[in-house]
Amino acid sequence: MIMNKLILFLITGFSLFLFTSCKTAKTSAEGNIGQTLSSGSTWVLRTINGNETAYGNDAFLKFDPEKNTLSGNTSCNLLNAGYEINGDRMTISQGITTRRACLGENIENEFLKNINEVYYFEIKNNILTLYNADRKELFTFAKNQE
């Protein structure tokens, strides 16, 4: 009788340990992705479709992993959207923008077209690269060292 209780106690304890360990590892991995994208950092646009842009100081993204939202600027209007990450995949929902009249040159149309095509992402050396489903580079953003 005591032996059965001891075995049951050990099995229950071991199962609880495994469940807790797996959940902690998953949360930790997801947290690392979110902290890399967020932590209050601004990602400043450097290239669009492989071409350097002069609008980098105006076009940027900020991620909020707690709410799965992003905000930014398209080089003319403000942008807000949702996003989801699964491994190296990132999907960005149809966003909303302000409706300012954009005088002069800007890259807003190209920016908005590309943001809807984002499928993969990669972060290396404080550079965020966003790709489409064919792994064609759409954007590179540099983490602003505020």
Side-chain angles (χ1 to χ4, degrees), residues 111-129:
F111 190 100
L112 291 173
K113 177 187 171 294
N114 282 4
I115 205 80
N116 289 319
E117 294 181 16
V118 170
Y119 197 82
Y120 294 106
F121 81 104
E122 175 181 62
I123 300 173
K124 285 186 181 175
N125 301 321
N126 291 323
I127 300 294
L128 168 64
T129 307

Side-chain angles (χ1 to χ4, degrees), residues 7-118:
I7 291 172
L8 182 60
F9 175 75
L10 290 174
I11 290 172
T12 304
F14 185 70
S15 298
L16 186 59
F17 171 75
L18 285 178
F19 176 75
T20 305
S21 297
C22 291
K23 183 160 178 65
T24 303
K26 182 179 178 188
T27 303
S28 177
E30 290 172 353
N32 288 341
I33 291 170
Q35 289 174 1
T36 303
L37 285 175
S38 181
S39 63
S41 298
T42 300
W43 294 88
V44 180
L45 183 66
R46 291 293 174 239
T47 66
I48 187 165
N49 292 323
N51 300 312
E52 288 190 25
T53 178
Y55 300 99
N57 292 331
D58 297 326
F60 65 88
L61 294 176
K62 287 185 180 183
F63 293 86
D64 183 346
E66 290 181 17
K67 297 178 184 175
N68 280 22
T69 59
L70 64 84
S71 60
N73 192 306
T74 65
S75 77
C76 177
N77 282 291
L78 301 178
L79 166 72
N80 287 292
Y83 74 93
E84 290 184 28
I85 291 177
N86 185 5
D88 67 344
R89 289 208 40 220
M90 176 187 287
T91 53
I92 298 176
S93 65
Q94 183 70 38
I96 58 171
T97 62
T98 54
R99 300 261 181 198
R100 277 188 253 175
C102 303
L103 304 176
E105 290 186 37
N106 64 71
I107 56 169
E108 180 170 81
N109 289 336
E110 190 174 12
F111 190 100
L112 291 173
K113 177 187 171 294
N114 282 4
I115 205 80
N116 289 319
E117 294 181 16
V118 170

